[in-house]
Amino acid sequence: MRTQVGIVGAGPAGLLLAHLLALEGVESVVLESRSREAVEQTIRAGVLEQGTVDLLDSTGVGERMRREGALHRGIELRFGGRGHRIDFPSLTGGRAIMLYPQHEVLKDLIAARLAAGGDLRFEVADVAVEEATSDRPRLRFNEGGQARALDCEVVAGCDGFWGVCRDAIPEGRRTAYAREYPFAWFGILAEAPPSSDELIYCSSERGFALVSTRSPTVQRLYFQCDPDDHEDNWPDDRIWEELQARLQTRDGWTLTEGPIFQKGIVGMRSFVCEPMQHGRLFLAGDAAHIVPPTGAKGLNLAAADVVVLARGLVELFRSGAGGRLEAYSATCLRRVWRTEHFSWWMTSMLHRFPGDDPFQHRLQLAQLEYVASSEAAATTLAENYVGLPIGDG
Ligand code: RFL
Ligand code: PHB
């Protein structure tokens, strides 16, 4: 078997890359270890930047998002028992964000690829990258008990943080930059109408909490917890009590409660692998970098990577020129590090760090007050949150 681009992973990065390439007449095969159902049902991100929304729209996969997603023109920063709205359009020249779940984006991309006759293979095992530095890298894998080999011109490692592609870059040829945070997020889905029209990022003495939504009947809520904590320690009553305590305001706002039908704990880390390329192997998305979810950036950063990668690949296959592809890692890393900083900054500003002293709390509060009261500071948050322009300029 052979193809132009062998793509490992059918997450946002892999599926969007296959879609963008197909629109430009470049063929690919996507190899995914999980089942289609598992991919389409895993609950993760919810926030799409303006540039990601525009990208899905302009490439023909935005129709359901436009219908079912919710446009948000701001967020609330809540601290000291008071809310402070950050208005995106007025601070960013009219930009906003869209609440539309990641697994719905994936359903739309899978449907579009299959309708276009794309080659997506689910439930493959033992994927291995071979000869990444030759001009014919190969993917070996196991499909339905059969050993297979796929000869490629380029391999795209879109297999997430726990995938195999990053390790195909020899250790001496890559540098990892990492930070673990001393807390995690406890996330729930609850059958209850939204408590707020917009997301609420709340810093309280008991720790961080986030109010998000999924639909007119489902709320997505998170609160900071110990990374070693366990879902079993949190019966529903205790979860609501904790969220109510953290989100309490002085103006009578109430959090609507309802049956909780999903609970999970998400670790928090920052991570960057440099470079994002080795020979003809290109890493994109979580395979190359991780951000803590506080800035809602992971999926969006994956999308930004594959836009740059697709442009480079199209140039290569059209004209044989490798200039854009050679610049891939450096081009992406500029945005990656900006986004790493933003996600770290939001995380540091809003969470309680074990061992912090009152001086540190006062600094956090001063920073929050500055963002809430200065147009310059609010603009910094807003322009990063709605997202910088995508592409390599
Ligand atoms: P993914 O989504 O992890 O997809 C990788 C795919 O590769 C497959 N795979 C393999 N396939 C074949 N062989 C192997 N050896 C393989 N190893 C792995 C996996 O099964 C999977 O299908 O990576 P990708 O495409 O880079 O996309 C990244 C995003 O999924 C991620 O950054 C976001 O979900 C992060 N994130 C958020 N991002 C946002 O932009 N906005 C948000 O609001 C947001 N909220 C979140 C988040 C992530 C969260 N969690 C659970 C980490 C909220 C949460 C709670
Ligand atoms: C979500 O809705 O899942 C969500 C929203 C904002 C974040 C992270 C996750 O920062």
Side-chain angles (χ1 to χ4, degrees):
M1 280 192 299
R2 50 195 316 155
T3 189
Q4 287 179 298
V5 185
I7 300 175
V8 187
L15 288 169
L16 188 57
L17 178 63
H19 175 63
L20 297 177
L21 291 175
L23 293 177
E24 300 290 341
V26 175
E27 64 174 44
S28 67
V29 176
V30 177
L31 303 179
E32 165 61 47
S33 54
R34 293 183 300 154
S35 69
R36 178 177 175 184
E37 293 68 39
V39 169
E40 291 188 340
Q41 282 163 20
T42 304
I43 308 284
R44 291 183 83 176
V47 176
L48 305 182
E49 293 177 357
Q50 179 78 59
T52 309
V53 170
D54 295 344
L55 177 69
L56 296 176
D57 259 340
S58 66
T59 61
V61 283
E63 198 231 333
R64 202 163 62 91
M65 169 192 72
R66 281 284 168 206
R67 229 176 330 120
E68 296 176 16
L71 195 69
H72 285 213
R73 294 187 173 81
I75 56 167
E76 179 182 322
L77 280 186
R78 187 176 287 185
F79 56 93
R82 279 190 52 210
H84 309 263
R85 185 165 184 273
I86 308 288
D87 183 76
F88 294 151
S90 66
L91 295 167
T92 63
R95 295 163 78 79
I97 54 155
M98 179 79 84
L99 267 269
Y100 186 62
Q102 172 165 331
H103 65 280
E104 302 294 349
V105 175
L106 297 183
K107 282 185 201 167
D108 297 342
L109 286 168
I110 290 170
R113 276 314 289 133
L114 294 178
D119 194 342
L120 303 181
R121 299 179 187 217
F122 293 95
E123 297 178 75
V124 306
D126 307 329
V127 174
V129 185
E130 288 180 359
E131 297 180 52
T133 51
S134 78
D135 58 4
R136 272 284 178 278
R138 186 176 305 117
L139 289 171
R140 286 198 189 278
F141 60 103
N142 194 299
E143 190 176 31
Q146 303 268 331
R148 298 202 189 280
L150 176 65
D151 288 329
C152 312
E153 294 185 47
V154 167
V155 169
C158 302
D159 51 348
F161 184 68
W162 303 105
V164 295
C165 290
R166 193 171 60 249
D167 289 343
I169 306 179
E171 260 184 47
R173 293 296 186 89
R174 60 184 150 100
T175 307
Y177 300 87
R179 173 152 306 178
E180 298 272 341
Y181 296 86
F183 40 74
W185 277 15
F186 197 111
I188 63 161
L189 284 166
E191 255 168 65
S195 308
S196 158
D197 292 339
E198 293 177 341
L199 271 67
I200 303 170
Y201 287 83
C202 174
S203 164
S204 86
E205 288 184 3
R206 302 175 69 97
F208 172 74
L210 171 60
V211 179
S212 179
T213 59
R214 279 297 177 268
S215 74
T217 54
V218 174
Q219 285 192 91
R220 179 72 162 146
L221 300 153
Y222 300 95
F223 58 93
Q224 168 183 358
C225 69
D226 189 287
D228 297 322
D229 211 333
H230 197 274
E231 286 120 57
D232 296 345
N233 297 330
W234 289 88
D236 295 8
D237 287 354
R238 184 177 173 215
I239 292 176
W240 288 120
E241 222 172 276
E242 188 61 37
L243 282 167
Q244 295 284 10
R246 292 190 191 191
L247 289 158
Q248 197 176 51
T249 64
R250 289 189 241 129
D251 59 12
W253 178 88
T254 50
L255 175 67
T256 47
E257 299 185 11
I260 296 172
F261 61 92
Q262 212 238 12
K263 299 178 190 177
I265 293 179
V266 189
M268 308 267 284
R269 64 159 62 78
S270 300
F271 174 85
V272 180
C273 166
E274 287 191 15
M276 291 166 58
Q277 174 199 1
H278 179 62
R280 286 189 166 231
L281 167 65
F282 294 83
L283 303 180
D286 281 11
H289 40 71
I290 293 286
V291 286
T294 326
K297 289 291 154 209
L299 180 161
N300 296 291
L301 204 50
D305 285 352
V306 300
V307 166
V308 177
L309 184 53
R311 285 183 188 159
L313 290 168
V314 168
E315 183 187 71
L316 177 76
F317 291 120
R318 287 236 174 103
S319 68
R324 276 183 176 228
L325 262 191
E326 273 159 35
Y328 169 74
S329 181
T331 303
C332 288
L333 283 167
R334 278 199 295 276
R335 185 193 189 85
V336 167
W337 277 111
R338 170 88 296 279
T339 307
E340 289 287 345
H341 181 272
F342 175 66
S343 304
W344 165 86
W345 175 69
M346 286 284 280
T347 303
S348 308
M349 179 168 70
L350 288 160
H351 290 74
R352 286 268 145 156
F353 286 68
D356 270 2
D357 58 8
F359 182 82
Q360 191 62 32
H361 294 155
R362 284 289 189 280
L363 289 181
Q364 270 182 326
L365 214 52
Q367 180 68 35
L368 283 163
E369 268 164 11
Y370 184 47
V371 174
S373 59
S374 148
E375 188 172 320
T379 303
T380 294
L381 190 154
E383 78 171 350
N384 280 279
Y385 199 94
V386 302
L388 303 166
I390 287 184
D392 50 9

